[in-house]
Amino acid sequence: MVEPVPLALAYRLLNHGPVTLVTSAHGGRRNVMAVAWAMPLDFSPPKVAVVIDKSTFSRGLIAASGEFALNLPTAALARETHAAGSLSGREGDKFERIGLATFPATSVGAPLIAECVAWLECRVIPEAHIQENYDLFIAEVIAASADRRVFHDGRWYFDDDSTRTLHHVAGGHFLATGRSIDA
Amino acid sequence: MVEPVPLALAYRLLNHGPVTLVTSAHGGRRNVMAVAWAMPLDFSPPKVAVVIDKSTFSRGLIAASGEFALNLPTAALARETHAAGSLSGREGDKFERIGLATFPATSVGAPLIAECVAWLECRVIPEAHIQENYDLFIAEVIAASADRRVFHDGRWYFDDDSTRTLHHVAGGHFLATGRSIDA
């Protein structure tokens, strides 16, 4: 059910501010971490801004590979998302410890998480000053895809309550994406 | 019902990725625009990252004053939020045209929007390179407040459906903040 999303519409996967699972890989190691501080930065070519703390294991993998992927978890994955934000990848493979299946990305080395509903494959645009001073990474989205049951033709369809994306408040307290409102 | 939010908890107003109304003022002019691309950037002192396009009237007011405020609209304000993202402040006072009441901020010259439920008063941290190249502004949150009926003790309480915050997908299509999930 994974279907490519045209790059010009990729921002719509992230525009509503969901929490993300950031995946990365380098030199035979891989990791996943939960990141709420991610947002679109441009439409076309699509860019994103993401905060990756210096203390994390993922930071080293992303700095070394120049790549990462944003995966969007659902309400059914709240426990796993919280675990991905609490454990460290230094202490063993987090995908196995948390119980997350993966599949290969099309354009980056980072794995994609099978249980998620949308994926943005990203290449870091080197901006050393803000990376160093604010842990802020700017990246171009070079491929995007989504579970067509949940996102197609540029819109979200959360017909099944368990497939709603998540928004993180703090400490494992999430808010699910709610009802549609057309202004 | 407007109550100060401790600065160390200010990130929780924005952590779930709601759309914002950015207010600004300078030299007797003021403006409001809808911005979905805003996120926390640090906990303490709290910082935010916000995209302010060069083409907007607000950009000039923010560049000149070095200040802005993020106001969080609710489901009841979807129409006004869409209007704030569609009209230009160059063609007359948008608060009056849209029908938004304001009250003074405590620490910035930008007005705060009375119908909103949370407010972050921000001072720009000059970072010319990313402002110029990505329209990306970094700012410190110097005061924060919220409607205590909807946010208190570091958590959201959306008991009244009309007070839920909004997440923007595209073109006036919003998703309301939904149910709580504790992992």
Side-chain angles (χ1 to χ4, degrees), chain A residues 130-148:
Chain A
I130 55 170
Q131 290 173 202
E132 190 57 37
N133 285 271
Y134 303 104
D135 293 330
L136 181 59
F137 284 71
I138 291 174
E140 182 173 340
V141 180
I142 56 176
S145 50
D147 184 329
R148 124 154 230 110

Side-chain angles (χ1 to χ4, degrees), chain A residues 171-183:
Chain A
H173 174 55
F174 297 93
L175 299 162
T177 308
R179 68 186 168 93
S180 285
I181 300 176
D182 284 286

